[in-house]
Amino acid sequence: MELVQIYECLCDPTRLRLLNVLAQGSLCVCHFQEILDEPQVKISKHLAYLRARGLVKVERQGNWMIYELPARPSRELKANLACLQDCAQEDPVFQRDLARLKKLAPKFAETSPCGCS
C-alpha cells in the first residue's frame, strides 16, 4: 500500500470518522448511519473510496455488506491508524461517535446478523 493512498484517504473528516469507528470492530452501512448521523449515500460513497484504496475490507452477509479494517494492514496503514486513534482521543466529534457506538452496540447485537433491523 502506498503512503500517498493512505494520506489521500485520511484527508477527509468523514473517512477519518469511519476509520476511527471501524477500529472498534466490523460494522455495516446502517450502523455508520446511526453512529455518525449521516445519510446512507454519503457513508456508502466514503466506504467505497476507502475500499477501492485498500483501507477497508467488505464481506457480504445475506443482504448486508459488513465493513472492517484489513486483518493484516501494511506497516504504514497500521502506524497511521494508531496515530488517528491517539489524536481522536482529544476530539469531541470522534469521542461522540465512539460514545454512540457504545450506546448502540446492544441494539446492533440483538437484531439481524449485522445488527440491522
Side-chain angles (χ1 to χ4, degrees):
M1 176 175 301
E2 287 191 32
L3 193 56
V4 171
Q5 284 179 305
I6 294 169
Y7 284 112
E8 287 173 346
C9 292
L10 299 180
C11 70
D12 180 87
T14 301
R15 290 193 293 267
L16 287 173
R17 291 174 69 195
L18 291 169
L19 291 168
N20 186 55
V21 172
L22 269 179
Q24 307 305 307
S26 304
L27 297 167
C28 75
V29 174
C30 63
H31 295 150
F32 290 115
Q33 286 177 256
E34 285 194 63
I35 295 165
L36 275 61
D37 194 28
E38 296 285 354
Q40 181 271 328
V41 171
K42 182 176 183 177
I43 298 294
S44 293
K45 178 185 86 168
H46 285 291
L47 286 169
Y49 187 94
L50 292 169
R51 181 181 178 197
R53 287 152 184 85
L55 271 71
V56 299
K57 301 291 182 194
V58 66
E59 178 184 330
R60 179 175 289 281
Q61 289 186 9
N63 293 328
W64 301 279
M65 300 298 281
I66 309 300
Y67 290 86
E68 62 186 359
L69 295 175
R72 292 185 168 161
S74 68
R75 182 176 56 88
E76 297 85 1
L77 178 56
K78 191 174 185 177
N80 279 282
L81 289 174
C83 181
L84 170 61
Q85 293 294 293
D86 189 45
C87 293
Q89 292 179 16
E90 305 296 322
D91 189 294
V93 172
F94 292 98
Q95 290 307 301
R96 184 178 65 234
D97 291 344
L98 293 180
R100 289 182 84 167
L101 171 61
K102 186 176 181 178
K103 179 181 176 185
L104 293 167
K107 174 186 168 188
F108 294 158
E110 64 187 35
T111 52
S112 73
C114 79
C116 303
S117 51

